[in-house]
Amino acid sequence: MSGSVSPLAPKSFATVPALRGVRMATASAGIKYKNRTDVLMMVFDKPASVAGVFTRSKCPSAPVDFCRANLSHGTARAVVVNSGNANAFTGKKGREATALTAKSASAAVGCGENEVYLASTGVIGEPLDATKFSGVLDAMAKDATGDFWFEAAKAIMTTDTYPKVATRTAEIGGVSVTINGIAKGAGMIAPDMATMLSFVVTDADIAPAALQALLSEGVGPTFNAVTVDSDTSTSDTLLMFATGAAAADGQARVETAGDARLASFRTALNELLKDLALQVVRDGEGARKMVAVTVAGAESDVAAKRIALSIANSPLVKTAVAGEDANWGRVVMAVGKSGEMADRDRLAIWFGGIRVAVDGERDPAYSEAATSAAMKEEDIDIKVDIGLGNGTATVWTCDLTKEYVAINGDYRS
Amino acid sequence: MSGSVSPLAPKSFATVPALRGVRMATASAGIKYKNRTDVLMMVFDKPASVAGVFTRSKCPSAPVDFCRANLSHGTARAVVVNSGNANAFTGKKGREATALTAKSASAAVGCGENEVYLASTGVIGEPLDATKFSGVLDAMAKDATGDFWFEAAKAIMTTDTYPKVATRTAEIGGVSVTINGIAKGAGMIAPDMATMLSFVVTDADIAPAALQALLSEGVGPTFNAVTVDSDTSTSDTLLMFATGAAAADGQARVETAGDARLASFRTALNELLKDLALQVVRDGEGARKMVAVTVAGAESDVAAKRIALSIANSPLVKTAVAGEDANWGRVVMAVGKSGEMADRDRLAIWFGGIRVAVDGERDPAYSEAATSAAMKEEDIDIKVDIGLGNGTATVWTCDLTKEYVAINGDYRS
């Protein structure tokens, strides 16, 4: 964990209520860190529907492989997450570690190993000694409690400077349901570092296939629209669980994502995913400014997102934002390199709501003073109108600072 | 230009001889810089064959558009290059500036405007006042001299900390020919900053189509295999000219790139292109280390290059090198995110010739001391064996340092 909290951290944290059907416990297993918790266990006393999305890495971690294999089973009884070691690029030893953890968790909870979900974050390539925490899962399963979301979020932190929690309510067929979530960042990846993990739980009664559809659709404009440094972790994992406890209040089970009763739930879920995703960006390594990049007028939404990511991942755009420089020449560069259709002479670019370029040149009304003032803000909006079609997309990123280089490049002794 | 010379600069510069058929002059037009030359003119007294490769940006600069349009004509009489302003994203004014420059150059040299080639590097989005230098082209054409390569290289510098020159000799059908080249970097792009420009001239007599084929084939493993920051300039331009002066020594004109007499020339050209490309990397903004990334065992050469670029462009790999940290976990991450086929359990990774990971885990013989020592070198070789096929590729990059962020992000006052 970093010494100081990100200047972009939320001014206050959401109070996340207990949610029927899930209990949590944390422990300090000393995997890597001292004097802090580094293991989280979530227990579902009745089988919960489960859905998941994972890293697109071709070299995923052992826990990612493990979760993917279990997902077809559709229900979950336990989740075990550790920080400090990613159990990635650990070969046979990595599979042995997930097997041992799953076995211990299934014994502790009294469920099948195919109802266990695992995630690990931390160093890549170091064997994970799962015996360090497998022995404490029995006690954790017994002690687990519902009102523990903030502590849960703390146990999974790596270079995060603050825990990430969110909660929303919705209704399904007139029955009130809750969605809670936690997440961690803080670079997109790595050894001694970060990875994106998030766990979302609702007490709604939703079948696995519908839950998966909701989640897969929800991540597009949220978790899949944020980038800190364009690097992709071997371990990124977003799992969602539905305990079904709201059935006791008369919520009839939702079987398909097309069910009209999901309108409120879908909105609440997407808001919660966006909330967590933006909290991850606001804790990006070395971040001093939050940047929203909106592209309009592209040939399609897919093209707009590709252009927006090209801008958001450009080191030159990100260093310009760090320097409070409304350097729209670099935005033009990033549009050009995206590979998507663009016509220089139709481009318009805004920084902080101020149009700085239009029709292929600097805006005649450009004011250096007004633009400089806008760039001093903590939140910077960059907008580009491609002028060719109706495709739009927004992605979020942070600036690239010397602190990012220091965090990721300071000499090992 | 930066205040201090890159620590990776060549210890000495090549002495580049005059080359028959081309004369050069430089001038100080005060486009942006004070007390230095910022315009280069090259004059071919007889029409030279010309070939070119350009940025893939969808928002290319006005000079790139201009050169592309002229290239089908096949011969060149004049080249005008300015530094300090890229004439990119300048709309109609940009086209007016290229038209004025071409008109002035054609008048000065006595050639068609379709025999003129232009390149500009510097700020994006500022109108280029071509009247600043169009008036001096007459005098430059008259004064141009052959023994002027080093001065030519200096006039086109932007954030470069040293001029980039190279020379090679070859033979075609028993006749000795020379190839000279200059280049500039030093980020891949930008406003107040860099772009990659290079100009190569030979006295060989080679037809335009053959020259284009040689150049297009030569850039793959050279200029197209280097990256400083993954950003793509609006203005990247590599032009090659063949003056044909060697015909006077009896060199029979080469009409096709398949001509067997080109063997020596092709080798020399490719070496020269690699020499210049690596000089650009060694002057990458903020660079303290030169990194060669070699990928072997990929499914194809194309796949190998994509993986190598994924590693070379990863901010986390580049910051690790800056920190002298043989962080192979980040290399695994970059392999995984490339999108190409990879099997974690077959990967092997070397830093500085030392194998650090094999068969999906840390090498059992891994020595922290030996690896740390290797990482202190100025030139770092990273090698990855994917273990799946025969595809290989090498790309070159530099580390990502706080100085890069400072150069590109320091506050505008």
Side-chain angles (χ1 to χ4, degrees):
Chain A
M1 279 186 285
S2 247
S4 57
V5 174
S6 166
L8 307 178
K11 305 306 171 220
S12 66
F13 294 106
T15 303
V16 182
L19 188 149
R20 292 173 300 173
V22 60
R23 299 181 295 120
M24 286 154 287
T26 60
S28 303
I31 294 162
K32 176 183 161 72
Y33 307 114
K34 306 284 178 213
N35 305 318
R36 57 159 281 191
T37 57
D38 55 5
V39 185
L40 163 66
M41 188 177 197
M42 302 177 94
V43 179
F44 306 102
D45 288 319
K46 293 181 183 171
S49 296
V50 57
V53 293
F54 303 94
T55 178
R56 289 180 184 141
S57 173
K58 300 282 182 184
C59 303
S61 66
V64 166
D65 283 346
F66 181 90
C67 289
R68 278 206 174 104
N70 273 1
L71 211 53
S72 61
H73 182 70
T75 60
R77 291 287 310 281
V79 182
V80 180
V81 188
N82 73 276
S83 55
N85 184 314
N87 194 12
F89 205 60
T90 41
K92 185 163 167 281
K93 292 192 192 80
R95 291 185 287 273
E96 288 166 358
T98 53
L100 173 63
T101 310
K103 192 177 167 191
S104 308
S106 77
V109 173
C111 68
E113 290 178 28
N114 59 5
E115 295 178 300
V116 175
Y117 286 80
L118 304 175
S120 298
T121 175
V123 184
I124 289 180
E126 297 284 333
L128 170 63
D129 180 5
T131 62
K132 279 196 176 168
F133 55 86
S134 59
V136 301
L137 298 183
D138 275 342
M140 291 175 79
K142 284 190 191 74
D143 297 344
T145 178
D147 187 13
F148 214 63
W149 289 92
F150 198 72
E151 290 303 317
K154 278 160 69 177
I156 64 173
M157 288 165 67
T158 54
T159 51
D160 301 74
T161 72
Y162 58 84
K164 294 153 189 75
V165 295
T167 182
R168 292 292 188 283
T169 54
E171 59 80 21
I172 299 180
V175 177
S176 177
V177 297
T178 301
I179 317 174
N180 291 346
I182 59 175
K184 55 119 5 217
M188 272 302 165
I189 161 76
D192 306 296
M193 290 295 158
T195 254
M196 205 291 298
L197 300 184
S198 182
F199 306 95
V200 176
V201 185
T202 178
D203 53 3
D205 192 8
I206 302 177
L211 201 66
Q212 183 68 51
L214 284 166
L215 183 65
S216 296
E217 154 194 323
V219 293
T222 59
F223 276 108
N224 287 348
V226 298
T227 176
V228 168
D229 55 14
S230 82
D231 275 340
T232 304
S233 168
T234 55
S235 311
D236 290 333
T237 298
L238 167 54
L239 291 169
M240 181 169 179
F241 305 91
T243 68
D249 298 340
Q251 187 233 303
R253 185 173 173 90
V254 174
E255 294 292 346
T256 69
D259 193 316
R261 290 175 301 154
L262 281 177
S264 152
F265 185 87
R266 179 179 272 113
T267 301
L269 173 62
N270 292 349
E271 281 179 6
L272 176 124
L273 293 175
K274 183 175 170 186
D275 184 345
L276 289 172
L278 295 196
Q279 287 191 55
V280 169
V281 175
R282 298 186 81 87
D283 204 7
E285 289 168 347
R288 293 294 173 270
K289 288 181 190 289
M290 169 88 179
V291 186
V293 179
T294 299
V295 171
E299 285 205 315
S300 66
D301 289 351
V302 170
K305 189 161 181 183
R306 199 166 289 146
I307 294 168
L309 281 170
S310 178
I311 297 167
N313 280 326
S314 161
L316 288 166
V317 171
K318 291 159 74 83
T319 48
V321 172
E324 303 191 334
D325 176 5
N327 198 319
W328 52 271
R330 298 186 184 179
V331 175
V332 175
M333 174 282 298
V335 171
K337 81 164 181 170
S338 72
E340 292 297 330
M341 279 301 295
D343 179 344
R344 191 178 52 197
D345 294 345
R346 293 183 185 204
L347 282 185
I349 300 169
W350 291 255
F351 276 81
I354 300 169
R355 195 175 68 180
V356 294
V358 63
D359 296 339
E361 19 184 330
R362 187 168 61 188
D363 194 312
Y366 176 81
S367 153
E368 177 81 21
T371 312
S372 290
M375 293 305 290
K376 292 196 191 308
E377 298 292 320
E378 196 171 88
D379 284 26
I380 305 290
D381 288 331
I382 299 177
K383 186 183 162 190
V384 180
D385 191 329
I386 307 295
L388 291 179
N390 296 312
T392 61
T394 298
V395 305
W396 293 270
T397 189
C398 53
D399 55 349
L400 172 57
T401 64
K402 292 175 194 172
E403 287 74 25
Y404 176 87
V405 178
I407 291 169
N408 289 298
D410 270 354
Y411 288 31
R412 296 208 297 192
S413 55
Chain B
M1 282 184 285
S2 245
S4 58
V5 173
S6 166
L8 306 178
K11 305 306 172 218
S12 65
F13 295 107
T15 304
V16 183
L19 188 148
R20 293 173 300 174
V22 60
R23 298 181 295 120
M24 287 155 286
T26 60
S28 301
I31 294 161
K32 175 181 162 72
Y33 307 114
K34 306 284 178 213
N35 305 318
R36 57 158 282 189
T37 58
D38 55 4
V39 185
L40 162 67
M41 187 175 199
M42 301 177 97
V43 179
F44 306 100
D45 288 319
K46 292 181 182 171
S49 295
V50 57
V53 292
F54 303 94
T55 179
R56 290 179 184 142
S57 173
K58 301 284 184 184
C59 302
S61 66
V64 167
D65 283 348
F66 181 90
C67 289
R68 277 207 175 103
N70 272 2
L71 210 54
S72 61
H73 182 69
T75 60
R77 290 289 310 281
V79 182
V80 180
V81 188
N82 73 275
S83 54
N85 185 312
N87 193 15
F89 205 61
T90 42
K92 185 162 168 283
K93 291 192 193 82
R95 291 185 286 274
E96 288 167 358
T98 53
L100 173 62
T101 310
K103 194 176 168 193
S104 307
S106 77
V109 172
C111 68
E113 291 177 27
N114 58 6
E115 295 178 300
V116 175
Y117 287 80
L118 304 174
S120 297
T121 176
V123 185
I124 289 180
E126 297 285 331
L128 169 64
D129 180 4
T131 62
K132 281 195 175 168
F133 55 86
S134 59
V136 301
L137 297 183
D138 275 342
M140 291 176 80
K142 284 193 192 74
D143 297 342
T145 178
D147 186 13
F148 213 62
W149 288 93
F150 199 72
E151 290 303 316
K154 279 161 66 176
I156 65 174
M157 288 165 66
T158 54
T159 51
D160 301 75
T161 71
Y162 58 85
K164 292 151 192 75
V165 294
T167 182
R168 292 291 187 284
T169 54
E171 60 81 21
I172 298 180
V175 176
S176 178
V177 299
T178 301
I179 316 172
N180 292 345
I182 59 175
K184 59 142 329 244
M188 271 304 164
I189 160 78
D192 306 298
M193 289 292 158
T195 255
M196 206 293 298
L197 300 184
S198 182
F199 307 95
V200 176
V201 186
T202 179
D203 54 3
D205 193 8
I206 302 177
L211 201 66
Q212 183 67 53
L214 283 168
L215 185 64
S216 297
E217 155 194 320
V219 293
T222 60
F223 276 109
N224 286 350
V226 298
T227 176
V228 169
D229 55 13
S230 82
D231 275 341
T232 305
S233 167
T234 55
S235 310
D236 290 331
T237 297
L238 166 55
L239 292 169
M240 181 171 179
F241 306 92
T243 68
D249 298 340
Q251 187 232 303
R253 185 173 173 90
V254 174
E255 294 292 346
T256 69
D259 192 317
R261 291 175 300 152
L262 281 177
S264 153
F265 186 88
R266 179 179 271 115
T267 300
L269 173 62
N270 292 349
E271 280 179 7
L272 177 124
L273 293 174
K274 184 176 168 186
D275 185 346
L276 289 172
L278 295 197
Q279 287 190 57
V280 169
V281 175
R282 300 186 79 88
D283 205 8
E285 288 166 348
R288 292 294 173 270
K289 290 181 191 285
M290 169 87 178
V291 186
V293 179
T294 299
V295 172
E299 286 206 313
S300 66
D301 289 352
V302 170
K305 190 163 181 180
R306 198 166 290 147
I307 294 169
L309 281 170
S310 178
I311 297 168
N313 280 327
S314 160
L316 288 168
V317 171
K318 292 159 73 86
T319 49
V321 172
E324 303 190 334
D325 176 5
N327 198 319
W328 51 271
R330 297 185 185 177
V331 175
V332 176
M333 173 282 297
V335 171
K337 84 166 180 170
S338 71
E340 292 297 330
M341 276 303 294
D343 179 344
R344 193 177 52 197
D345 294 346
R346 293 184 185 206
L347 282 184
I349 300 170
W350 291 255
F351 276 83
I354 299 169
R355 196 176 68 181
V356 294
V358 63
D359 296 339
E361 12 184 335
R362 186 167 63 188
D363 193 314
Y366 177 80
S367 155
E368 178 80 21
T371 313
S372 290
M375 294 304 292
K376 293 197 191 306
E377 298 292 320
E378 197 170 89
D379 284 27
I380 305 290
D381 289 332
I382 299 177
K383 186 184 163 192
V384 181
D385 191 329
I386 306 295
L388 291 179
N390 296 311
T392 62
T394 298
V395 306
W396 293 269
T397 188
C398 53
D399 54 347
L400 171 57
T401 64
K402 291 176 192 170
E403 288 71 28
Y404 177 88
V405 178
I407 291 168
N408 289 298
D410 271 356
Y411 288 29
R412 298 207 298 193
S413 55

